[in-house]
Amino acid sequence: MKTVVTTKWATVAIVGYSASVSSNENRSAHGGVCLLQVRKNQDGLRLGRKVNINGKHKEIGEAFLLHEERLAQWEQIATASR
């Protein structure tokens, strides 16, 4: 499934927790799931980020330039988990 990328963060796939995603670590957010998210910035570049969630606790990773190959990999993960 091709992801429609807008200027708002959208979750492409949900995977199990594997590691901290932020230098501002929130240990309470560890052990749950990790959201793989994508959006466009004002220049039209695709950005990605990972967000760890465990109950009401959240740890948001830094945004990074998301290449087409990585987005395709995330989409494949999402398709395989359905």
Side-chain angles (χ1 to χ4, degrees):
M1 180 177 101
K2 205 68 165 145
T3 303
V4 176
V5 182
T6 68
T7 56
K8 295 185 179 188
W9 287 109
T11 300
V12 176
I14 302 171
V15 297
Y17 167 82
S18 63
S20 178
V21 296
S22 174
S23 58
N24 187 17
E25 188 174 30
N26 177 1
R27 290 185 178 262
S28 297
H30 297 177
V33 297
C34 182
L35 308 180
L36 307 177
Q37 298 184 327
V38 63
R39 78 172 184 94
K40 283 184 186 175
N41 68 5
Q42 64 273 17
D43 297 325
L45 297 174
R46 256 189 324 270
L47 301 176
R49 74 175 182 185
K50 296 180 179 182
V51 180
N52 284 333
I53 295 180
N54 188 9
K56 65 180 181 177
H57 303 284
K58 200 181 269 192
E59 178 184 72
I60 301 173
E62 297 291 321
F64 55 88
L65 189 59
L66 185 66
H67 298 286
E68 187 66 38
E69 297 82 20
R70 171 80 54 98
L71 179 56
Q73 180 185 31
W74 287 4
E75 290 171 335
Q76 187 175 21
I77 290 168
T79 302
S81 66
R82 291 191 179 127

